Amino acid sequence: MSASYRGRLAPSPTGYMHLGVARTSLVAWLRARAVGGALVLRIEDIDAPRVVPGAAHAILGELRWLGLDWDEGPDVGGPHAPYTQLARLTLYTQAIEQLRATGLVYACTCSRKEIAQIASAPHGDLGPLYPGTCRNAPSHSGRPAALRFRMPEPAPSFVDGLQGSYAAGVADDFVLRRSDGVYAYQLAVVVDDLAMGITEVVRGDDLLSSTPRQIALYRAFGAREPAFFHVPLVLDADGRRMSKRFGSMSVTQCRQAGATPEQVIGVLAHTLGLAAPHETLTAAQLVTRFDPSKLPTSATQLDTAQLFLQAQT
Ligand code: GLU
């Protein structure tokens, strides 16, 4: 890698940033900073009903508090503005037109219920697989149509920078635009990463199973996909995946409880194999010792209650 490296932070503004996302953001930041590359910050607000007012602003503050900066994005600007997805809808519309011209898009009028009834069992993070009912012609005319992408078979496989070879096995024709006109994450993320010249995508491994879909999209656009680096997730002390749903601790809660950024970075770095237990240090201090081969390749348990107690003492 070199200074031509372009990475990104792509938080969804659905609440405060919990420690799992902070940890993945730290790895994305270190990947870029370790090679003198650039980092783009993009707010992924495409799923408007899930957006919490004020969350984007809060997340920017949490990243800054942790010492994670960015070179292009909100408050900084850059040649690829705007950096919020809801301000980029024209690009997604153009992308759909480009894909339509290749014959890889079709209208689908199946309801969720119909898909659930005929689909095979829910598949990992991707939900029930679409059986392809409308592939040749929409079967329920008169209903509003979603737009689906004709997935190639077999789905593309790839070599992840952290986790090695990944082959999806099954992949269905996924939605590009919902019947209510909302563009899907899968489309928006590829259009944005492509437009912003991202060379490596660093993110949580809950998105591993989405990557073959996204690679297929890059290829449909006649583009080369970036490299991928999927960081295994953090589990709560009780073994549940850390997410806002479970009320996992946020960076803001750590700060309010009296923790310093160096303490939080220290705990996160320890779970990444980059710091000793109870070590406190800044994100910047981690840059020179960053060694991707030390990162865990399976899920790590993080006892946030312990962190909370530490912060109190
Ligand atoms: N916005 C997504 C999230 O916060 C990340 C998507 C991606 O990195 O591709 O989970």
Side-chain angles (χ1 to χ4, degrees):
M1 283 186 293
S2 69
S4 60
Y5 180 100
R6 286 176 63 80
R8 44 60 152 199
L9 301 170
S12 299
T14 53
Y16 287 112
M17 184 167 62
H18 66 75
L19 291 178
V21 173
R23 180 175 175 269
T24 307
S25 304
L26 174 61
V27 176
W29 186 86
L30 287 169
R31 288 287 287 171
R33 295 300 178 234
V35 295
L39 207 55
V40 179
L41 175 64
R42 178 173 76 232
I43 301 292
E44 300 218 313
D45 56 357
I46 193 75
D47 193 1
R50 290 186 57 230
V51 170
V52 173
H57 180 75
I59 290 169
L60 300 190
E62 290 173 306
L63 287 170
R64 285 200 187 95
W65 184 78
L66 288 171
L68 307 181
D69 61 350
W70 54 96
D71 308 296
E72 290 178 34
D75 300 346
V76 176
H80 305 288
Y83 292 97
T84 54
Q85 292 183 319
L86 286 178
R88 300 174 63 81
L89 297 180
T90 316
L91 284 167
Y92 311 140
T93 308
Q94 285 164 357
I96 292 268
E97 288 318 311
Q98 192 183 335
L99 287 178
R100 268 188 199 265
T102 65
L104 291 171
V105 176
Y106 65 87
C108 169
T109 51
C110 295
S111 67
R112 264 172 199 271
K113 202 169 152 198
E114 283 157 353
I115 295 168
Q117 275 165 1
I118 42 177
S120 44
H123 184 72
D125 293 311
L126 297 176
L129 290 181
Y130 181 62
T133 317
C134 294
R135 215 174 215 264
N136 298 318
S139 45
H140 316 276
S141 56
R143 286 192 194 166
L147 296 178
R148 286 186 184 270
F149 179 74
R150 251 176 233 275
M151 245 332 247
E153 284 178 47
S157 54
F158 69 102
V159 179
D160 187 75
L162 183 59
Q163 310 214 19
S165 300
Y166 182 84
V170 268
D172 59 348
D173 294 347
F174 58 94
V175 170
L176 296 168
R177 197 182 71 196
R178 295 189 335 214
S179 60
D180 59 5
V182 173
Y183 293 103
Y185 153 74
Q186 306 285 3
L187 176 80
V189 77
V190 168
V191 170
D192 291 342
D193 283 336
L194 200 50
M196 294 175 181
I198 301 304
T199 61
E200 183 180 72
V201 169
V202 180
R203 60 187 176 192
D205 71 355
D206 52 330
L207 289 165
L208 255 178
S209 54
S210 285
T211 306
R213 295 175 162 193
Q214 295 173 14
I215 292 175
L217 271 182
Y218 281 103
R219 295 181 184 171
F221 286 125
R224 260 188 64 188
E225 64 271 15
F228 291 93
F229 194 94
H230 285 91
V231 183
L233 295 181
V234 155
L235 305 176
D236 271 336
D238 55 8
R240 288 178 309 192
R241 185 164 121 181
M242 210 179 255
S243 79
K244 284 156 211 158
R245 231 184 2 232
F246 296 127
S248 301
M249 203 166 190
S250 68
V251 173
T252 295
Q253 280 173 307
C254 292
R255 183 170 55 78
Q256 287 170 348
T260 63
E262 293 78 11
Q263 280 174 320
V264 177
I265 292 286
V267 170
L268 298 179
H270 173 55
T271 70
L272 290 166
L274 301 173
H278 309 298
E279 196 176 346
T280 57
L281 75 179
T282 62
Q285 283 170 327
L286 272 176
V287 174
T288 45
R289 72 162 86 161
F290 180 59
D291 177 357
S293 71
K294 297 227 169 91
L295 300 182
T297 52
S298 57
T300 309
Q301 217 151 356
L302 176 60
D303 190 341
T304 45
Q306 199 58 39
L307 174 70
F308 190 80
L309 288 175
Q310 265 177 27
Q312 300 282 298
T313 54

